[in-house]
Amino acid sequence: MSSIISNHLHQKLLLMAVAIGMFLDGLDGSIVTIILPRISESFNIDTGTASWVIITYLLMMAGLILIIGKTAERGHIKSLFLGGVCVFTLGSVACGISPDFGLLLSFRVIQGVGAAMIAATASLLCVTYLPKNMLGMALGAISMSVSLGVVAGPAIGGFISQYLSWHWAFLINLPIGILILPFAMYIIPPDMPRENRSFDHIGAVFLFGLMASGVFVLERISHLKISDWQILLSGLLCIIFFILFVYRERNYPSPLINIRLFRLWSFSATLILFLIFGCVSMGIFYLLPFFLQAAMSFDPAMAGLFLLIPPVVTAIIGVPVGRWSDRAGRKPFAIAASLGSIAATAIFMSIIPETGFILLPLGLVLTGLFMGFMGGPVASWVVDNAPPDEKGTGSSLMITSVYLGSVIGTALFATFFTWGVATKGVVAFSELNPDVFTKGFHFSMTAGLLLSVLALVISVIVREKEDITSTQLEGDS
């Protein structure tokens, strides 16, 4: 019996539940960045220690999405999504009432587990229950929801930091979680457990170690020297876990991930393309708030208003573009996204405070267009190029690349910024004069421009879709 939902209202309500869940994920990934100074003061710790509030969340997200996604594929999508909402909400409340920093980190881990459960099942709900001709629109809505959450986080966090205590950055999730839980319980179809195949627990451990150690290196390398023992040890562990994971998956009868999937040029290329777009968009949004305040001398409120331009543009075009790509194909929109990214990063490479009011709105609009063109179409392109029996894995890898791309983008742009200002080690943005900051900002956008050109090359040379069955995939081995 087909699991596809045919009722149009039911389809939209399902997509609404998924979008709200992904908005929460994006919101909590970014809202904490602006309240870290308050957390530092509250617990009397340094900012480097406080940054673990962000790192623990990212480690759980990156390390668990693929594992939870594979579990969900076995017919437990609804239970895992609902469980994720519960765990995330309870973890948020616990973070908000934490009496000491150690407990805050522990509860942040729990919150990250819940967020990973939501993220891993969100795209699977679309792939499983929505018709194929809605996939681009649906994934576009998910991408738009994450983007809105990520960009809205600093604005909401700034208000909370200014007028309330940092605890409310976590406690605001409680009413949203209470509202979404019964709604999702009603609207998501019941689980239909599939055959009880063995689960590769050892492979899951290796995969978590690989992702967690790799994300730690990427997150901390711009803060620590590359020769720091933490970076060296984590890098070594990442390599060891990678070797162990590949060996395990090649020889286990029911692997967690069919690594032969990466032999498909079209699938691997579109996954890399989506990862690149994530790097560029996150890198831009990582540095723009500082540029607006340090170089353009905007106050936080004015900077927040300008930063709303990209998500508003994305919100306007995201769903229509996704729906259009369902009919016209994904490739034209990937090319358009690449061109938009090239234009935006080129503008940011040349913008100076004196001409900022002219070029800044244009660059922000182009950024919104780039994100809108890339969201649904490119995410769908990744899933389209996975074999029929590997759509779930393709979906989980696509979602993982969103968060992995964010970590890589932040680390890459931060590294280029440090090189651009010609200093050794981490630089406090507040200590730089506007001219020096602008120089570092321009140099960091060089990384974005180079990545955008690479994205354009990939978009042009990859075919619209390469049909291949799982049997053919296994035959390649």
Side-chain angles (χ1 to χ4, degrees):
M1 184 176 66
S2 174
S3 58
I4 300 298
I5 297 172
S6 57
N7 183 281
H8 293 300
L9 177 59
H10 196 170
Q11 292 170 350
K12 293 176 181 178
L13 292 175
L14 174 68
L15 188 54
M16 183 186 300
V18 170
I20 294 172
M22 292 305 291
F23 175 81
L24 281 177
D25 268 14
L27 179 71
D28 244 74
S30 64
I31 195 173
V32 176
T33 57
I34 203 164
I35 64 168
L36 282 183
R38 299 290 187 185
I39 293 176
S40 299
E41 294 172 6
S42 178
F43 295 118
N44 193 28
I45 56 176
D46 60 77
T47 54
T49 302
S51 67
W52 276 95
V53 177
I54 297 175
I55 296 172
T56 50
Y57 187 83
L58 288 173
L59 291 181
M60 292 301 104
M61 291 288 288
L64 292 176
I65 285 178
L66 283 170
I67 297 170
I68 295 171
K70 200 65 178 179
T71 304
E73 284 183 61
R74 299 157 73 91
H76 306 289
I77 305 178
K78 180 176 183 176
S79 57
L80 283 170
F81 183 85
L82 296 177
V85 173
C86 291
V87 172
F88 179 85
T89 304
L90 293 174
S92 298
V93 173
C95 287
I97 61 175
S98 297
D100 62 66
F101 187 67
L103 282 175
L104 174 60
L105 287 185
S106 300
F107 294 137
R108 186 66 167 163
V109 168
I110 294 173
Q111 189 188 31
V113 171
M117 293 170 72
I118 295 172
T121 51
S123 59
L124 274 175
L125 285 168
C126 296
V127 172
T128 305
Y129 296 117
L130 297 181
K132 188 176 180 181
N133 61 6
M134 282 187 65
L135 186 59
M137 185 271 287
L139 295 181
I142 289 178
S143 177
M144 179 187 70
S145 300
V146 175
S147 299
L148 289 174
V150 168
V151 177
I156 297 174
F159 176 85
I160 290 173
S161 179
Q162 184 72 27
Y163 299 106
L164 303 170
S165 71
W166 63 265
H167 306 80
W168 287 100
F170 300 104
L171 295 176
I172 60 170
N173 293 324
L174 178 60
I176 303 176
I178 291 175
L179 289 174
I180 192 178
L181 187 60
F183 177 62
M185 288 178 66
Y186 171 74
I187 207 65
I188 299 175
D191 285 333
M192 294 182 292
R194 301 171 187 173
E195 70 275 11
N196 188 24
R197 293 182 298 174
S198 60
F199 186 82
D200 186 8
H201 295 91
I202 296 178
V205 172
F206 291 158
L207 178 61
F208 180 83
L210 164 64
M211 297 299 293
S213 57
V215 166
F216 178 83
V217 170
L218 293 169
E219 171 65 23
R220 301 304 295 167
I221 197 167
S222 60
H223 301 270
L224 305 171
K225 294 181 179 179
I226 196 171
S227 59
D228 186 274
W229 71 268
Q230 297 177 61
I231 299 298
L232 294 176
L233 177 60
S234 298
L236 178 61
L237 287 174
C238 183
I239 294 171
I240 292 173
F241 279 124
F242 173 77
I243 295 172
L244 291 174
F245 179 72
V246 171
Y247 179 81
R248 174 73 178 183
E249 299 307 286
R250 288 182 63 89
N251 295 280
Y252 192 72
S254 300
L256 194 67
I257 296 176
N258 185 355
I259 59 174
R260 294 178 178 86
L261 185 62
F262 296 104
R263 293 184 178 180
L264 296 179
W265 153 249
S266 56
F267 175 79
S268 296
T270 50
L271 185 64
I272 292 172
L273 177 65
F274 197 63
L275 181 72
I276 290 173
F277 283 143
C279 290
V280 175
S281 60
M282 189 61 191
I284 290 174
F285 279 112
Y286 166 65
L287 285 178
L288 259 181
F290 299 105
F291 174 77
L292 295 180
Q293 295 180 68
M296 300 287 293
S297 300
F298 287 1
D299 59 44
M302 179 64 73
L305 286 175
F306 272 92
L307 289 173
L308 285 176
I309 293 176
V312 167
V313 173
T314 302
I316 293 172
I317 71 169
V319 174
V321 163
R323 186 181 293 116
W324 192 7
S325 78
D326 287 329
R327 299 193 300 267
R330 322 296 187 189
K331 183 169 182 171
F333 297 96
I335 294 174
S338 302
L339 293 173
S341 181
I342 289 172
T345 50
I347 287 175
F348 292 138
M349 278 181 63
S350 58
I351 193 173
I352 56 176
E354 291 76 14
T355 61
F357 277 100
I358 299 173
L359 293 178
L360 179 61
L362 178 59
L364 292 172
V365 169
L366 286 169
T367 301
L369 291 172
F370 141 60
M371 292 170 61
F373 285 131
M374 125 352 229
V378 181
S380 301
W381 207 7
V382 175
V383 179
D384 286 347
N385 280 301
D389 292 344
E390 298 289 349
K391 296 294 186 186
T393 300
S395 172
S396 296
L397 286 168
M398 180 271 294
I399 288 293
T400 300
S401 70
V402 172
Y403 297 96
L404 192 58
S406 297
V407 176
I408 295 174
T410 300
L412 184 65
F413 276 61
T415 301
F416 268 65
F417 181 88
T418 301
W419 291 345
V421 297
T423 60
K424 296 181 180 180
V426 183
V427 182
F429 292 155
S430 59
E431 297 176 1
L432 299 174
N433 65 56
D435 290 337
V436 174
F437 189 97
T438 300
K439 181 181 177 182
F441 181 76
H442 288 168
F443 194 74
S444 67
M445 290 300 149
T446 304
L449 181 63
L450 294 174
L451 286 173
S452 301
V453 172
L454 177 59
L456 178 62
V457 172
I458 295 175
S459 301
V460 169
I461 64 177
V462 176
R463 290 186 292 179
E464 179 65 49
K465 184 179 180 182
E466 181 178 333
D467 294 317
I468 186 168
T469 65
S470 296
T471 303
Q472 289 174 303
L473 184 63
E474 294 299 328
D476 289 341
S477 62

